[in-house]
Amino acid sequence: MGKTNDSVEPSPEFKSNCLSRILFHWAQPLFNRASTLRRENKALEDADLFPLPSIDRGEITAPIFERSWSDQLRDEDRTGRPPSLPRALGVVVGQRFWVAGLIKAFNSCLQFTFPVLLSAILRFIEDTQAGAIATDAPGHVRYRGYWLSALLFAAMALKALLENKYFHAVYRSGYQARVAVSVAVYKKALRLSPSDRNGRTLGELINLMQVDASKIEMFVPQMHVLWDGLLQIAGYMSILYGLIGWPCFAGLVIMMLAGPVQG
């Protein structure tokens, strides 16, 4: 399973159905293999791993990055806009990264349902204990707490599934960006003339291929967090304002003042 040449069968991830991808059931054989080896006091080896998906290989991601960079260089004289690394990497990560942003937004909206539904369930308990719900009330009123609890469970379960899918997508995007940059720097180093190569040390090239490329890989998954943090603050402040009124802004002020101190 660990081979990566073109003769091996594709990764089981891309042969699985939609439900298996959402639940990551396609990776179950690997865990079964690891469990079997553990009972034998052994560990997984390269041959036990799944083949690397084609979309994650350098020979696929690197040409995409190089074509985008070449197109920007060709258009520089016409548009006057210099080449941009983020634009080139945006072509590499492709639609997957932006779909992950939509998943993140929907996931945050599901997160807002927790305090809203929990508040509604608590109000139902209070009304039940106070006898405010008549015995002849419609079923959806008498059993409001039950279907609200079921709705809360469904929302949190869907949130967990979407969150896993989001992290899988953004971390794959970060990995692809790192591979593309590493391969591009390596190929550029091979094309350097002797005079240009003398002006750069081996350590500088290694830093570009490994350290700096790894920083890009770590930053890509955090890009959606930048706007999602503002969305969550706005959403929770709206919920708190509806529950307790203006005092919620006192907590916001304290949080803003404590930010620089903690930083």
Side-chain angles (χ1 to χ4, degrees):
M1 282 194 294
K3 299 179 181 179
T4 58
N5 54 46
D6 296 334
S7 62
V8 299
E9 60 182 18
S11 171
E13 176 186 358
F14 296 98
K15 297 191 298 181
S16 59
N17 55 44
C18 181
L19 182 61
S20 179
R21 293 191 186 187
I22 293 176
L23 299 177
F24 294 94
H25 188 264
W26 56 269
Q28 188 61 40
L30 183 62
F31 292 103
N32 293 338
R33 176 62 176 167
S35 178
T36 301
L37 292 175
R38 185 175 182 272
R39 289 193 294 268
E40 300 174 357
N41 293 324
K42 298 180 181 179
L44 288 172
E45 299 180 356
D46 289 345
D48 300 316
L49 303 180
F50 295 139
L52 188 67
S54 59
I55 62 173
D56 294 332
R57 299 185 185 182
E59 60 263 29
I60 300 297
T61 58
I64 297 176
F65 176 84
E66 292 174 355
R67 283 196 299 269
S68 176
W69 190 261
S70 299
D71 292 341
Q72 293 184 53
L73 289 175
R74 187 169 53 253
D75 296 339
E76 182 178 6
D77 296 335
R78 180 174 55 86
T79 62
R81 186 168 59 172
S84 170
L85 179 62
R87 289 205 308 270
L89 292 178
V91 177
V92 173
V93 299
Q95 188 179 16
R96 180 184 298 102
F97 180 77
W98 305 112
V99 171
L102 296 177
I103 295 176
K104 182 69 171 176
F106 187 66
N107 182 75
S108 296
C109 293
L110 287 175
Q111 193 169 327
F112 297 149
T113 63
F114 179 80
V116 175
L117 292 175
L118 184 60
S119 176
I121 293 173
L122 293 176
R123 284 199 302 269
F124 169 78
I125 295 175
E126 292 175 352
D127 293 342
T128 302
Q129 293 177 344
I133 300 179
T135 56
D136 59 346
H140 69 277
V141 176
R142 286 186 291 121
Y143 301 105
R144 186 176 73 242
Y146 296 98
W147 60 262
L148 283 175
S149 300
L151 188 60
L152 178 60
F153 172 80
M156 293 300 101
L158 181 59
K159 176 183 177 299
L161 295 176
L162 291 178
E163 201 165 46
N164 291 335
K165 192 64 179 177
Y166 162 77
F167 281 115
H168 183 256
V170 293
Y171 278 101
R172 165 169 276 169
S173 298
Y175 167 78
Q176 291 175 343
R178 179 177 68 85
V179 170
V181 171
S182 298
V183 174
V185 173
Y186 177 74
K187 289 185 176 181
K188 179 64 176 179
L190 295 179
R191 294 193 299 265
L192 287 176
S193 63
S195 58
D196 291 334
R197 192 177 293 112
N198 290 333
R200 292 171 174 82
T201 64
L202 180 61
E204 290 176 340
L205 296 177
I206 292 177
N207 282 337
L208 288 174
M209 287 188 292
Q210 295 184 356
V211 180
D212 294 343
S214 296
K215 290 180 180 179
I216 295 176
E217 179 184 15
M218 292 184 291
F219 176 72
V220 169
Q222 304 301 323
M223 291 181 63
H224 289 308
V225 179
L226 299 176
W227 60 263
D228 182 67
L230 299 177
L231 174 63
Q232 292 199 28
I233 292 175
Y236 283 122
M237 289 302 300
S238 300
I239 295 173
L240 287 174
Y241 184 79
L243 294 175
I244 63 177
W246 66 266
C248 68
F249 295 106
L252 178 62
V253 172
I254 294 175
M255 182 180 66
M256 294 175 63
L257 293 177
V261 177
Q262 294 177 349

